[in-house]
């Protein structure tokens, strides 16, 4: 094919299946998959490298503007690119203002413009004050609406009551917008013992699994009544898998995600005082972890995303290790691919599976038609990955803003050697990402 801008040729090109071919690129789009394409710029991958589609991470808290000391668009997207992620969708909190109306979306877009190393879209927020007025934000291009069923962790993004959640679902059913939900039952957690002190077991008891199960049951009921689409965020409780599977079988329009930390860590291994592991819902036991892997294998869980939720080191209470006061969130944006591959390979999964969970799945959930795959017509977003290489995590060598990581000192398999965005290699020096809106190509 003449006039190609770029050909990347590899013995292992992983899309819906793994093949050996050259990937031809023109004007930032994949135009051919064959062994006969040539271009002035031709990249021959090393024998130990595979070509993956750029990953899509649809659950990232950039926190910018307002809490840019926690993270920022420049640092977050640089970390994303270093981890093979070429598209993120930013959560409507913990920025100030939160993305709950069109003016706040414009603030977020202006803050991100010209600073991003990968493509960035935005979720809107469904809070009590925005009910009845979600359509303008939908029309402005957000990819869907985030809601909480209990305190979000920040006062400027209040939770919806069950009745308010049902109203929001009814409102979103009209334009067929997606609701994404942090599903933990407020009453169950309020009745649990408070999370105080250094013992991880006490924190775990403060967020019991049945809080997730009860909330997900309510979410399913609302989706069933309204016909609206709903997505369960950061699933940690494997006992909810049967609920989600049954709802899908009944035709309820529900999807679910889990995160690398739930697939990697287990409660039995978390030391007392190790607050970098604190997240909500919490990391549960080893048996639960294995059931989450089974949920992925069975297609009940649709995708794996980071829930990158960083903070400053002081908010993690590293000095005292008190799980009751530490910020709940794990910084994993740069490490997700290696973390998941490390665990997946020993369980018999392949890179094709990982691509389905971390590229195709999130792009389908968010509605990013041009992302998440190596196929003609898709954006030329790539990750050059060495699956048999390895490294030990040093937080000081990560690109997110603050050097705190639950993965510190952990050996991970698989190294991202190059990341390409629309046919151009991401250098980390000249931001070239684009702002994305729902429905645009």
């Amino acid at each position: 094919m003449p006039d190609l801008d770029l050909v990347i040729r590899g013995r292992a090109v992983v899309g819906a299946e793994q093949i050996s071919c050259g990937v031809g690129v023109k004007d930032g789009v994949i135009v051919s998959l064959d062994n006969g394409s040539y271009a002035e710029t031709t990249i021959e991958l090393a024998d130990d490298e595979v070509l993956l589609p750029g990953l899509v991470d649809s659950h990232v808290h950039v926190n910018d503007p307002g809490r840019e000391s926690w993270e920022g668009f420049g640092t977050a997207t640089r970390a994303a690119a270093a981890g093979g992620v070429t598209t993120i969708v930013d959560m409507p909190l913990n920025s100030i203002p939160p993305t709950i109306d069109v003016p706040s979306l414009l603030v977020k877009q202006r803050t991100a413009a010209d600073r991003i190393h990968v493509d960035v879209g935005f979720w809107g927020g469904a809070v009590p004050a925005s009910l009845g007025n979600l359509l303008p934000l939908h029309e402005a291009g957000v990819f869907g609406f985030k809601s909480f069923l209990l305190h979000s962790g920040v006062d400027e993004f209040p939770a919806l009551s069950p009745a308010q959640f049902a109203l929001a679902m009814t409102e979103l059913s009209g334009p067929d917008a997606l609701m994404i939900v942090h599903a933990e039952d407020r009453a169950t957690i309020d009745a649990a013992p408070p999370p105080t002190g250094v013992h991880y077991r006490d924190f775990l008891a403060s967020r019991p699994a049945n809080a997730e199960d009860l909330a997900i049951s309510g979410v399913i009921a609302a989706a069933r009544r309204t016909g609206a689409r709903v997505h369960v965020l950061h699933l940690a409780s494997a006992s909810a898998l049967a609920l989600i599977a049954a709802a899908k079988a009944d035709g309820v329009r529900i999807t679910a995600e889990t995160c690398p930390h739930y697939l990697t860590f287990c409660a039995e291994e978390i030391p007392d005082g190790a607050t970098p592991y604190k997240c909500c819902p919490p990391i549960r036991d080893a048996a639960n972890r294995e059931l989450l892997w089974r949920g992925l294998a069975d297609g009940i869980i649709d995708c794996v995303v980071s829930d990158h939720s960083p903070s400053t080191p002081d908010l993690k209470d590293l000095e005292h290790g008190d799980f009751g006061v530490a910020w709940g969130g794990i910084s994993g944006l740069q490490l997700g691919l290696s973390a998941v591959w490390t665990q997946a390979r020993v369980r018999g999964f392949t890179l094709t599976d990982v691509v389905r969970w971390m590229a195709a799945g999130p792009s389908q959930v968010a509605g990013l038609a041009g992302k998440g795959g190596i196929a003609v017509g898709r954006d030329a977003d790539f990750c050059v990955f060495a699956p048999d290489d390895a490294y030990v995590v040093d937080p000081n060598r990560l690109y997110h803003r603050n050097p705190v990581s639950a993965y510190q000192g952990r050996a991970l398999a698989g190294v991202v050697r190059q990341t390409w965005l629309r046919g151009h290699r991401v250098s980390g020096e000249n931001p070239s990402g684009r702002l994305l809106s729902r429905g645009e190509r």
Side-chain angles (χ1 to χ4, degrees), residues 7 31 42 61 88 93 119 169-170 177 234 247 269 293 334 362 415:
V7 170
V31 296
T42 299
H61 295 267
I88 68 170
L93 73 162
D119 289 352
M169 290 285 281
T170 299
H234 45 50
E269 298 174 353
W293 278 103
Q334 184 173 335
V415 173

Side-chain angles (χ1 to χ4, degrees), residues 60-410:
V60 179
H61 295 267
V62 179
N63 308 335
D64 194 5
R67 290 190 173 96
E68 55 268 30
S69 63
W70 297 16
E71 190 60 281
F73 280 104
T75 51
T77 57
R78 182 68 184 90
V85 176
T86 52
T87 304
I88 68 170
V89 189
D90 174 55
M91 285 290 164
L93 73 162
N94 303 302
S95 57
I96 303 174
T99 315
I100 56 174
D101 52 29
V102 174
S104 61
L105 173 64
L106 295 175
V107 169
K108 185 73 71 82
Q109 291 171 330
R110 287 196 297 269
T111 302
D114 302 321
R115 296 172 55 201
I116 52 177
H117 297 272
V118 301
D119 289 352
V120 177
F122 302 95
W123 297 109
V127 298
S130 63
L131 296 183
N133 197 34
L134 298 175
L135 185 58
L137 195 50
H138 173 75
E139 292 177 339
V142 297
F143 285 84
F145 292 85
K146 168 76 173 285
S147 64
F148 279 78
L149 301 180
L150 78 172
H151 195 280
S152 69
V154 292
D155 292 338
E156 66 271 8
F157 199 93
L160 300 178
S161 69
Q164 290 169 330
F165 180 79
L167 288 173
M169 290 285 281
T170 299
E171 185 176 352
L172 295 179
S173 67
D176 198 29
L178 177 65
M179 174 71 87
I180 63 174
V181 56
H182 182 126
E184 289 183 283
D185 182 68
R186 179 175 4 199
T188 301
I189 289 177
D190 287 346
T196 59
V198 302
H199 299 305
Y200 185 77
R201 65 176 180 269
D202 294 337
F203 171 62
L204 189 60
S206 76
R207 315 284 294 215
N210 67 321
E212 282 190 82
D213 303 344
L214 284 170
I216 290 170
S217 293
V219 165
I220 290 169
R224 195 187 303 274
R225 287 195 306 271
T226 63
R229 295 187 293 136
V230 67
H231 177 71
V232 175
L233 297 168
H234 45 50
L235 181 68
S237 170
S239 53
L241 289 169
L243 299 171
I244 296 169
K248 288 186 173 189
D250 288 345
V252 176
R253 303 168 73 196
I254 185 170
T255 51
E257 68 184 39
T258 194
C259 304
H261 42 275
Y262 300 129
L263 299 169
T264 299
F265 305 120
C266 61
E268 297 93 329
E269 298 174 353
I270 297 177
D272 287 345
T275 53
Y277 291 91
K278 180 181 176 179
C279 58
C280 300
I283 296 162
R284 305 196 187 279
D285 60 39
N288 182 88
R289 178 185 61 189
E290 298 312 309
L291 289 172
L292 291 177
W293 278 103
R294 177 48 51 193
L296 278 168
D298 293 342
I300 302 169
I301 300 173
D302 299 88
C303 58
V304 179
V305 291
S306 71
D307 188 13
H308 179 71
S309 186
S311 70
T312 53
D314 60 298
L315 290 177
K316 275 296 192 181
D317 195 40
L318 300 176
E319 181 180 358
H320 303 105
D322 189 331
F323 283 98
V325 300
W327 174 257
I330 287 181
S331 300
L333 178 57
Q334 184 173 335
L335 302 171
L337 174 57
S338 296
V340 171
W341 174 236
T342 300
Q343 299 296 319
R345 68 190 306 188
V346 299
R347 291 170 173 83
F349 296 107
T350 68
L351 281 171
T352 302
D353 297 315
V354 173
V355 163
R356 184 172 69 253
W357 301 329
M358 302 188 76
S363 67
Q364 290 166 2
V365 167
L368 289 156
K371 304 293 187 180
I374 296 179
V376 172
R378 299 285 184 97
D379 288 353
D381 299 346
F382 307 120
C383 166
V384 177
F385 189 59
D388 295 323
D389 205 346
Y391 63 102
V392 175
V393 177
D394 177 357
N396 291 299
R397 301 186 68 179
L398 302 177
Y399 287 100
H400 64 253
R401 176 149 290 165
N402 294 291
V404 178
S405 174
Y407 294 90
Q408 180 173 351
R410 196 169 187 95

Side-chain angles (χ1 to χ4, degrees), residues 4-8 23 25 38-44 420 423:
L4 294 179
D5 300 323
L6 169 72
V7 170
I8 300 181
V23 181
V25 176
Y38 294 92
E40 183 174 342
T41 300
T42 299
I43 307 295
E44 300 280 351
W420 294 72

